[in-house]
Amino acid sequence: MKEMSSTMPGGQQPQKHYGITSAISLAPPRDIDHEYTKKLCDAMKPFGVFEDEEELNHRLAVLGKLNNFVKEWIAEISELKNLPPSAISCVGGKIFTFGSYRLGVHTKGADIDALCVAPRHVERADFFQSFFEKLKQHEEIKDLRAVEDAFVPVIKFKFDGIEIDLLFARLALQSIPDNLDLRGDSILRNLDIRCIRSLNGCRVTDEILYLVPNKENFRLTLRAIKLWAKRRGIYSNMLGFLGGVSWAMLVARTCQLYPNAVAATLVHKFFLVFSKWEWPNPVLLKQPEDSNLNLPVWDPRVNPSDRYHLMPIITPAYPQQNSTYNVSTSTRTIMSEEFKYGLSVTDEILQGKAEWPKLFEPPSFFQKYKHYIVLTASASTEENHLEWIGLVESKIRVLVGNLERNEYITLAHVNPQSFPGSKENRNENEFVSMWFIGIIFKKVENAESVNIDLTYDIQSFTDTVYRQANNINMLKDGMKIEATHVKKRQLHQYLPPELVQRKKRSIAELNRSSNGGSSKRISLDSSHLDSSRDTDSGTPFNSPTCKPSKPASDTDDGIIPPKQLFVESSPASSAAPAAQDEGMSIPVIGSKPPVKAKPPSPPAIPTALSGDVAPDATSSPKEEPNGVEDSVNGAPAKRPHSPVEEDQAKRHKDAEVRRDLTFKEPYPPSSDCYAHGEGANVVGISHSGSKAKPIPTIDTSRTQRLPSMELPDASSPLPASNSCRVVKNSIKLALNRHK
């Protein structure tokens, strides 16, 4: 750390300079700041964010047992591998924690992220075989399951009622001492990529704690921000918002800028800093360092795809990565509005005009938009349903990206909370979960009517889900995805009245104009070293309420029946390979895939990196993004609402195969759905019948891929099933513009 030349008020000694810039304010807290902090704690208590002493001690006891369990197992493995008795006695082994528990901000009932560190003679196969069997024999361990092929391989289980996700890392050491420190970069030498990924969570967590001026102030502030994010529906790395480690880094940066402030002040300053942050300038807790280990790091000057990240928050431990690569145009817009909303509320609180509970009020997602897409995942058994919804949810951001690239859609806002299917809308023996995506349609200028075809957007999403399900042998009979377009007034058919009928709050009008000029960039979904594990879900959350600017095209007059955009059951054997949507590029190290359109010069590298980030000349650049970037305003070229006619000749083969697919309309066209008032409105559905648009073929020329199960292999065909039939609907929404 650098030392500051300035002194503290009152002639105190200079204090450490935290972060890559000097502090904004060194002011000590006032008495009233302590009072506001106490009120903040009182406001958070009803939400279960603080753990009592008994539960805390229970967690410590469980971790102690697990640590001893690991040491016993490693000693047994060492004996089987004929190590001398003197070596076995000191071979060691250790459990490290990371995530919310290690940061000290876990909630009641939250799980524990842990890492088993073993010496070099213990292999990963031993962990997933002999250690798994040893756990199976332990009477206190329940719900044991291994996910060996995951991007970050893990064993999940409940130990005496506490959920634990246990990773594994094998270090190039003869023994693992109890005082081992994982922060040093030298421990990464000679490790395989899966061990490096597994270690990354611990290394990032430890580095964050090392880089904050006051750990207690940091923890209390982070508890408040995480609760706020969950309540406002923007806590989900999987769906394109931010996960736990990203929120922790934003709070840590705020603490660096205001090193002497207490939690109440830091919460307010958090919203002040990030409501004004000029994205995509990155958030950095320290100067990135190169350890010459030839690992890929985030650096937009070296890796072209890094220049397209919309909201980069960079992990402080080597190899530095962007923990927010899932963020899309829509999710960044929504989070930016929420930062401004949080600032307005905390301003009121610190002025004595409001109380802290107002900050944690849930939003009015189901009153916010005129149009919604209801995404339904169903399965025939409860066990299949749990597997299926996990996969579908992990891919919803693909659908959001598809919708964003539609030239007639301004914003697609997914509510992270899922809902059980209503009895009226499902069969008795089906297990159903629903997600809701709010849609804002673009204002239509100088046009009487515009047809919007969402078939391609939905189909490429469902094909992606089915392909991955097939790749991991998950696909079973009865697993289905359905997508239905509904208007706000039809939500009562899917949701309980208390959710649909809540009145709008006037606070929702505050930032309506903030969405209008937001820059649009293409969000790339790429595999990184996963340091943003998002597992702390103990606190309930709902979705945001701050309104984006409302285009004139988005009215709510008139009622039409819900239109089923897309229904798919397990695909039939005649299905063709599905389209790879433009945002779902598969990362390839050291090679470039064909690019559809040559992009102009990429946007300027964020000025915050000038002279700060040392380029990693040894790391191979990642692939170029698929899409065209506007170098002037950062807006991506919107994908037309369906494949263009000129492409049909190139895709003749796909068109031939798809002629066999059956297109059906679940509802008759409505004749009494005319809108009144200004703007455009979705008033009807036009059907393409059997004349379906062909899907672009997939480029199979890529030969090298990252070893990741998170992204599907685009060259694999859609799964075949003789017992199930594909049912696809070609849907076009008609926007009519009223004078």
Side-chain angles (χ1 to χ4, degrees):
M1 295 288 180
K2 290 184 281 187
E3 296 289 335
M4 296 185 63
S5 57
S6 59
T7 59
M8 292 281 293
Q12 298 178 26
Q13 292 297 314
Q15 72 174 56
K16 285 182 179 178
H17 172 163
Y18 289 87
I20 63 171
T21 64
S22 58
I24 293 175
S25 171
L26 298 174
R30 304 164 297 171
D31 289 342
I32 194 170
D33 296 328
H34 289 291
E35 290 176 23
Y36 279 126
T37 299
K38 184 180 183 305
K39 290 180 179 178
L40 174 61
C41 289
D42 292 341
M44 289 193 289
K45 283 177 183 175
F47 295 100
V49 298
F50 298 106
E51 195 173 46
D52 58 36
E53 196 72 21
E54 184 180 354
E55 190 174 354
L56 183 61
N57 291 334
H58 180 49
R59 287 178 184 270
L60 290 172
V62 165
L63 286 170
K65 288 180 185 177
L66 185 60
N67 195 55
N68 292 334
F69 208 52
V70 163
K71 288 185 176 182
E72 286 177 19
W73 166 68
I74 291 177
E76 291 168 4
I77 287 290
S78 303
E79 191 173 351
L80 287 173
K81 297 193 176 184
N82 299 319
L83 264 70
S86 58
I88 294 173
S89 62
C90 60
V91 75
K94 189 175 179 182
I95 290 290
F96 291 85
T97 59
F98 61 101
S100 63
Y101 180 80
R102 175 71 180 94
L103 288 172
V105 296
H106 59 285
T107 56
K108 284 183 181 179
D111 63 0
I112 296 177
D113 295 314
L115 170 70
C116 170
V117 175
R120 63 190 181 191
H121 62 274
V122 180
E123 299 178 10
R124 184 174 298 276
D126 298 324
F127 178 72
F128 282 98
Q129 292 169 13
S130 63
F131 185 68
F132 185 83
E133 290 301 318
K134 189 176 177 69
L135 289 174
K136 195 183 289 185
Q137 295 166 11
H138 201 291
E139 59 183 14
E140 289 183 292
I141 291 178
K142 311 290 184 188
D143 301 338
L144 181 66
R145 58 201 184 279
V147 192
E148 190 171 358
D149 293 329
F151 186 65
V152 182
V154 61
I155 293 179
K156 296 171 175 279
F157 55 92
K158 275 188 181 179
F159 195 144
D160 197 12
I162 294 177
E163 290 187 27
I164 295 177
D165 288 357
L166 186 61
L167 311 183
F168 175 81
R170 168 197 187 194
L171 301 187
L173 301 173
Q174 289 183 335
S175 63
I176 304 298
D178 285 339
N179 62 351
L180 177 66
D181 184 2
L182 298 179
R183 287 184 57 234
D185 295 345
S186 60
I187 67 165
L188 301 179
R189 292 188 186 280
N190 304 316
L191 300 189
D192 67 48
I193 189 65
R194 289 174 298 179
C195 287
I196 292 172
R197 289 180 193 141
S198 298
L199 284 163
N200 207 37
C202 289
R203 288 167 49 78
V204 167
T205 305
D206 289 351
E207 200 67 33
I208 290 171
L209 287 173
Y210 179 74
L211 291 169
V212 295
N214 184 304
K215 292 181 178 60
E216 289 309 310
N217 289 341
F218 163 75
R219 286 177 175 135
L220 188 53
T221 307
L222 181 54
R223 284 186 186 275
I225 294 302
K226 287 181 67 171
L227 175 61
W228 164 81
K230 290 175 182 179
R231 297 287 290 172
R232 302 302 294 177
I234 53 174
Y235 189 105
S236 177
N237 177 56
M238 184 186 293
L239 294 177
F241 296 105
L242 303 190
V245 73
S246 300
W247 290 116
M249 288 189 284
L250 293 187
V251 171
R253 185 67 187 120
T254 308
C255 292
Q256 290 178 340
L257 295 171
Y258 300 89
N260 300 314
V262 291
T265 306
L266 288 168
V267 169
H268 178 249
K269 298 302 184 185
F270 171 90
F271 293 120
L272 178 65
V273 169
F274 294 108
S275 64
K276 301 182 184 302
W277 195 271
E278 296 182 356
W279 305 105
N281 284 328
V283 175
L284 297 161
L285 296 182
K286 60 182 281 191
Q287 293 286 4
E289 299 166 356
D290 185 11
S291 295
N292 296 317
L293 296 179
N294 199 25
L295 293 173
V297 298
W298 186 87
D299 188 344
R301 298 177 301 176
V302 175
N303 308 317
S305 63
D306 290 347
R307 302 170 195 171
Y308 296 86
H309 292 174
L310 299 177
M311 201 173 177
I313 301 172
I314 310 306
T315 57
Y318 179 84
Q320 298 84 12
Q321 300 292 305
N322 175 21
S323 67
T324 61
Y325 58 86
N326 285 341
V327 170
S328 69
T329 304
S330 290
T331 54
R332 186 180 70 172
T333 297
I334 293 157
M335 287 187 284
S336 296
E337 291 171 355
E338 287 295 338
F339 289 142
K340 292 172 184 174
Y341 168 74
L343 178 61
S344 68
V345 174
T346 50
D347 277 342
E348 290 180 15
I349 291 168
L350 298 184
Q351 291 167 13
K353 298 177 182 178
E355 298 296 329
W356 284 109
K358 183 174 181 179
L359 184 66
F360 307 121
E361 287 179 358
S364 302
F365 177 82
F366 296 107
Q367 287 76 40
K368 183 174 179 181
Y369 300 105
K370 309 297 184 185
H371 304 281
Y372 294 84
I373 288 175
V374 185
L375 183 65
T376 304
S378 57
S380 54
T381 69
E382 186 173 9
E383 185 180 355
N384 289 352
H385 177 245
L386 288 173
E387 272 191 306
W388 186 232
I389 63 172
L391 177 63
V392 172
E393 185 175 32
S394 72
K395 298 301 172 190
I396 289 177
R397 67 177 185 268
V398 177
L399 175 57
V400 171
N402 292 351
L403 295 171
E404 284 179 348
R405 284 184 287 277
N406 189 298
E407 60 181 334
Y408 296 112
I409 291 178
T410 301
L411 182 134
H413 178 182
V414 59
N415 185 342
Q417 187 173 4
S418 63
F419 298 86
S422 60
K423 292 180 181 178
E424 297 80 9
N425 295 325
R426 64 181 172 90
N427 299 330
E428 261 187 46
N429 298 325
E430 271 190 328
F431 295 84
V432 177
S433 292
M434 300 184 298
W435 293 267
F436 291 80
I437 303 173
I439 301 293
I440 293 181
F441 288 104
K442 184 180 178 181
K443 182 178 179 181
V444 183
E445 297 286 356
N446 303 320
E448 289 300 322
S449 66
V450 177
N451 289 330
I452 300 177
D453 186 359
L454 299 181
T455 308
Y456 178 81
D457 303 323
I458 303 293
Q459 184 174 321
S460 61
F461 161 71
T462 55
D463 287 346
T464 297
V465 174
Y466 281 119
R467 184 186 300 111
Q468 175 139 354
N470 186 59
N471 285 350
I472 60 178
N473 298 317
M474 181 194 291
L475 199 62
K476 297 178 180 67
D477 290 349
M479 290 181 170
K480 292 190 299 184
I481 310 174
E482 300 177 12
T484 306
H485 166 261
V486 300
K487 298 191 72 174
K488 181 168 67 176
R489 294 182 183 180
Q490 299 165 283
L491 289 172
H492 68 275
Q493 300 174 29
Y494 300 87
L495 295 164
E498 60 269 18
L499 280 175
V500 178
Q501 293 170 2
R502 184 191 298 161
K503 292 182 180 178
K504 298 179 186 177
R505 288 190 289 272
S506 58
I507 197 71
E509 306 294 330
L510 285 174
N511 298 308
R512 180 176 290 180
S513 61
S514 64
N515 181 48
S518 63
S519 63
K520 299 226 173 207
R521 292 169 184 265
I522 294 174
S523 174
L524 295 180
D525 185 2
S526 56
S527 295
H528 291 268
L529 303 181
D530 187 8
S531 62
S532 57
R533 294 169 56 80
D534 188 9
T535 54
D536 183 13
S537 56
T539 307
F541 54 85
N542 295 25
S543 306
T545 185
C546 289
K547 286 196 172 185
S549 61
K550 182 162 59 177
S553 63
D554 213 9
T555 66
D556 189 40
D557 298 309
I559 301 177
I560 57 173
K563 300 301 178 185
Q564 204 160 22
L565 296 180
F566 209 78
V567 184
E568 276 212 41
S569 52
S570 303
S573 57
S574 62
Q580 177 82 4
D581 70 280
E582 292 177 13
M584 281 291 295
S585 55
I586 296 196
V588 181
I589 299 284
S591 64
K592 288 187 179 181
V595 178
K596 294 179 183 177
K598 184 178 180 182
S601 300
I605 297 172
T607 55
L609 283 178
S610 299
D612 293 345
V613 184
D616 185 2
T618 58
S619 63
S620 303
K622 299 172 188 170
E623 76 170 32
E624 293 279 350
N626 289 339
V628 180
E629 178 82 7
D630 189 322
S631 60
V632 178
N633 56 24
K638 288 278 194 174
R639 184 189 56 71
H641 58 276
S642 60
V644 293
E645 298 295 332
E646 298 88 82
D647 290 339
Q648 292 196 16
K650 299 177 185 177
R651 300 162 187 164
H652 179 69
K653 184 176 180 180
D654 271 0
E656 289 292 326
V657 176
R658 291 200 59 225
R659 284 195 188 110
D660 295 333
L661 303 179
T662 304
F663 288 84
K664 292 187 178 180
E665 172 54 36
Y667 296 97
S670 175
S671 59
D672 57 344
C673 46
Y674 297 100
H676 304 283
E678 297 180 357
N681 186 36
V682 176
V683 298
I685 305 284
S686 59
H687 317 287
S688 62
S690 60
K691 190 176 179 181
K693 298 286 185 183
I695 302 177
T697 54
I698 299 165
D699 168 39
T700 56
S701 62
R702 303 169 184 166
T703 57
Q704 185 180 3
R705 304 184 188 281
L706 289 182
S708 166
M709 293 303 293
E710 169 63 14
L711 293 175
D713 183 347
S715 62
S716 61
L718 282 177
S721 172
N722 294 327
S723 59
C724 298
R725 183 184 179 198
V726 180
V727 180
K728 299 186 179 182
N729 299 303
S730 181
I731 300 300
K732 293 181 180 178
L733 307 180
L735 286 184
N736 283 355
R737 185 170 183 271
H738 298 273
K739 301 295 184 184

